[in-house]
Amino acid sequence: MAPDNPPPIFRAVATSTRPLFQLLRCINFAPRVHVQITEEGIRFAADHSRVMQGVAFLDKALFSSYSLKLPPADEGEASELPNFQISLASLLEVLQIFGAVDVAAKAQKAEQDPYRSNLRNYRADAFSNQTLGISGTCTLLYNEQGDPFKITIEESGVKTTAGLTTYVPELPEDIPFNREELSFKIIMPSRSLLDALAEISPTAPDKLTIIATKTPPFLSLAGTGDLGSSAVDFARGRDLLETFTVADRWSQTYKFDFVKNSTEAMRIANKISLRGDDQGVLSLQFMVEMDGGKRSFLDFRFVPYVSYDEDDDEDGRHVGFDED
């Protein structure tokens, strides 16, 4: 006889909402995100017109408890992992109900400042206990396919539960990135790239050109717009460019506002891996270090201008740092 209340497909408990909020906020550029729950963690993926994609992977290590119990599959078939879409804005609003409110308000205020100050709004200790200031718990729950995705936040005896509507997944395929045909790979402090964009932004650029070469200046970022142009060159120093590999001169141009969408990740990350393939696709991978030696990763991919019609844009997996 089947139990009256079967166990939920997924249940996870976190001792703080802050790391979840901070990571997911980095990909808040699309109305909905695609959610896939796996044994290793939860993958949130956002897509913008097939020319920009961002992925935040919440590793199971971020949670004090993590349970995924898939329903039995038909004979000879593997159980299907939970897949659905939700409103990311709604999820972020729920996550900042209690202790994250003050910090989130400060971040929002910073965004209202000129773009330069916004870019330089460093939060190096974003994941420290002092910054978190949250003593409650956050429980994520998904009972069965088609059910709402529930978030329960409890602090000082006050409990709030929200159920977010889940939608049929409609995420397009990942922007293809050819790891076997890399044109360049650079690992550097995220703050260095953030500073470079802050230097370029006063000219209100429409486009950002990235050039990687074997000879000086090695890495160059140039912004162009109606107000003029500006550029930043990087020296090939160990402190600035930790890893530097260039197969041949590589130059591609991207929509500046798309790259700008990744600056929140630049602020909280420790390192960034920039890679470009032979088709011109740009990959930005961010490594975020947290308390206890834990790490999380954010991944962004961008399609260059030559690969899509700019007019079309008016309509509106967890990837780590590769060793090779």
Side-chain angles (χ1 to χ4, degrees):
M1 183 175 181
D4 294 335
N5 297 308
I9 292 178
F10 170 72
R11 185 178 187 275
V13 179
T15 56
S16 170
T17 63
R18 181 60 177 167
L20 312 185
F21 175 86
Q22 194 73 17
L23 291 169
L24 292 176
R25 188 171 181 268
C26 294
I27 61 168
N28 189 25
F29 58 82
R32 296 179 184 176
V33 290
H34 180 85
V35 182
Q36 183 178 52
I37 303 173
T38 72
E39 295 285 357
E40 292 76 30
I42 317 173
R43 183 182 190 268
F44 292 82
D47 177 86
H48 181 48
S49 306
R50 295 299 307 277
V51 295
M52 173 186 178
Q53 292 176 344
V55 174
F57 186 80
L58 306 186
D59 194 280
K60 63 185 298 183
L62 291 175
F63 301 90
S64 57
S65 67
Y66 188 97
S67 173
L68 177 61
K69 298 180 179 179
L70 300 176
D74 295 335
E75 186 176 353
E77 296 184 2
S79 296
E80 184 177 352
L81 294 172
N83 283 274
F84 51 86
Q85 285 188 325
I86 59 174
S87 165
L88 181 57
S90 297
L91 175 57
L92 291 174
E93 185 175 353
V94 173
L95 290 177
Q96 60 179 323
I97 285 177
F98 289 123
V101 172
D102 293 338
V103 182
K106 292 178 182 178
Q108 184 175 4
K109 182 178 180 181
E111 285 192 346
Q112 296 170 353
D113 291 338
Y115 186 56
R116 170 186 289 267
S117 62
N118 180 34
L119 279 175
R120 295 188 186 278
N121 180 27
Y122 299 136
R123 293 196 294 274
D125 299 322
F127 293 99
S128 68
N129 290 327
Q130 294 83 358
T131 303
L132 297 178
I134 302 173
S135 58
T137 61
C138 173
T139 302
L140 306 180
L141 189 70
Y142 187 59
N143 279 312
E144 60 182 5
Q145 184 176 352
D147 272 9
F149 186 64
K150 295 182 179 180
I151 304 97
T152 299
I153 298 177
E154 184 172 4
E155 183 182 34
S156 302
V158 180
K159 180 184 294 186
T160 300
T161 299
L164 303 183
T165 301
T166 56
Y167 302 91
V168 176
E170 299 175 352
L171 184 73
E173 294 181 1
D174 288 344
I175 292 175
F177 184 74
N178 190 351
R179 298 179 181 82
E180 303 302 321
E181 296 293 338
L182 289 183
S183 297
F184 80 94
K185 177 179 178 179
I186 297 172
I187 295 179
M188 62 192 298
S190 295
R191 184 172 297 187
S192 299
L193 186 59
L194 190 62
D195 283 340
L197 294 181
E199 295 295 332
I200 295 172
S201 64
T203 58
D206 299 315
K207 299 179 180 180
L208 178 69
T209 299
I210 300 176
I211 303 173
T213 59
K214 294 182 177 180
T215 57
F218 303 112
L219 176 64
S220 177
L221 275 64
T224 56
D226 294 338
L227 299 181
S229 62
S230 57
V232 175
D233 296 335
F234 290 86
R236 189 178 176 181
R238 178 68 179 178
D239 293 338
L240 188 58
L241 302 180
E242 179 178 316
T243 296
F244 184 86
T245 303
V246 178
D248 202 354
R249 186 181 187 277
W250 188 91
S251 176
Q252 295 292 344
T253 300
Y254 304 89
K255 189 175 180 64
F256 185 84
D257 283 348
F258 286 168
V259 180
K260 173 183 170 182
N261 281 331
S262 66
T263 54
E264 178 67 18
M266 294 179 196
R267 281 196 292 268
I268 70 170
N270 300 83
K271 294 181 181 181
I272 178 175
S273 173
L274 294 83
R275 299 182 300 173
D277 69 6
D278 58 347
Q279 298 298 314
V281 175
L282 175 67
S283 167
L284 302 183
Q285 299 175 310
F286 299 91
M287 183 181 72
V288 184
E289 294 183 355
M290 292 162 287
D291 283 349
K294 299 175 183 177
R295 292 178 176 177
S296 286
F297 294 90
L298 298 159
D299 178 30
F300 290 80
R301 293 181 185 181
F302 305 88
V303 174
Y305 258 100
V306 294
S307 300
Y308 68 94
D309 186 346
E310 183 178 357
D311 293 335
D312 291 343
D313 179 59
E314 299 302 324
D315 305 323
R317 75 197 167 145
H318 168 40
V319 184
F321 277 57
D322 295 341
E323 295 297 328
D324 48 53

